[in-house]
Amino acid sequence: MTATQTKPLSVPEAIETRVSIRKYVQEPMDQGDLHEILRLAGLAPSAWNFQTWRFAVVQNPELKEQLKAAAYGQGQITSAPAVIVVYSDMEDTIATVEETAHPGMGEEGRVGQRKTIEGTFGGQDVAQRGQWGLSQANIAFGFLMLAARSMGYDTVPMLGFNPQAVKELLGLPEHVQFAGLLPIGKRAEDGFPQHRHSVERVTKFY
């Protein structure tokens, strides 16, 4: 837990107080907090427990400057003490799928995981199965923002960047797909308050 926060926010509190922040206090991020936020995000659900998401954490100042250039000069990249690049690597998931079988299922479960992934994705090309993997990584992206807020940190989800440039900068495989970039730190200014549709505007009940 952070020095200024005595207890984590509840889920409703984290949701209701999360706003997009683009200017951050200029201090390094507590590495224990960062690790815990990533651990919590990794508890996100995924179909068949495949856990297709991967995190690349950028804290090096020079690398953040290069990442800023890949994000069309958006200042929150270098203002934040850390930027978490969230991406999906479906090809790594396929290669190591036995790791995601629950230990309680034993060898039968490990064999079943391999059969499931081969039967479901074996006939798809890299881009097709990559898109499915991205749908799972997007769930973890949302968990990541709420985990950060629950521990007193702020974030801003970013989709405005050059994916190819980010892959080259971080040495990521060509096939990966990005859920987004997530600057994270302590807010140096308040963002705009939430402004959302009503439940009735976006919901149909059957």
Side-chain angles (χ1 to χ4, degrees):
M1 203 50 49
T2 65
T4 57
Q5 188 178 346
T6 58
K7 65 177 183 177
L9 300 178
S10 68
V11 173
E13 287 172 335
I15 292 172
E16 291 174 348
T17 62
R18 193 221 64 80
V19 295
S20 291
I21 298 296
R22 293 174 173 81
K23 291 186 179 180
Y24 297 86
V25 175
Q26 297 303 293
E27 63 182 19
M29 186 158 181
D30 182 282
Q31 297 302 290
D33 288 351
L34 178 58
H35 190 278
E36 177 64 5
I37 289 166
L38 293 166
R39 186 190 73 82
L40 291 171
L43 296 176
S46 59
W48 295 302
N49 197 39
F50 281 169
Q51 305 168 64
T52 65
W53 49 79
R54 303 291 183 267
F55 306 121
V57 181
V58 181
Q59 299 181 88
N60 178 277
E62 292 79 14
L63 195 56
K64 282 198 295 178
E65 284 288 352
Q66 294 175 280
L67 188 60
K68 177 181 176 180
Y72 312 118
Q74 295 182 77
Q76 58 263 39
I77 293 288
T78 49
S79 178
V83 180
I84 304 173
V85 181
V86 183
Y87 63 98
S88 171
D89 191 338
M90 191 61 179
E91 298 309 295
D92 181 55
T93 299
I94 291 171
T96 61
V97 68
E98 288 85 359
E99 295 177 5
T100 63
H102 194 282
M105 298 173 66
E107 183 61 24
E108 182 179 351
R110 289 166 54 84
V111 172
Q113 284 287 77
R114 173 60 58 188
K115 287 182 177 178
T116 295
I117 206 164
E118 290 180 351
T120 304
F121 301 103
Q124 297 182 2
D125 61 30
V126 171
Q128 284 178 309
R129 59 196 184 215
Q131 191 61 40
W132 184 90
L134 179 60
S135 72
Q136 307 301 299
N138 285 331
I139 301 172
F141 194 60
F143 268 56
L144 187 60
M145 285 185 278
L146 293 182
R149 185 68 203 120
S150 76
M151 294 186 62
Y153 290 90
D154 296 288
T155 59
V156 55
M158 296 178 62
L159 295 177
F161 58 92
N162 182 326
Q164 190 60 41
V166 174
K167 289 178 188 178
E168 293 173 2
L169 179 63
L170 301 181
L172 300 177
E174 182 62 32
H175 61 258
V176 305
Q177 298 198 31
F178 293 102
L181 311 183
L182 194 70
I184 180 172
K186 297 292 186 65
R187 69 178 69 183
E189 65 177 16
D190 290 330
F192 286 111
Q194 294 178 352
H195 174 66
R196 297 293 189 272
H197 288 305
S198 68
V199 171
E200 291 74 20
R201 173 67 177 82
V202 298
T203 308
K204 293 182 179 180
F205 294 94
Y206 296 90

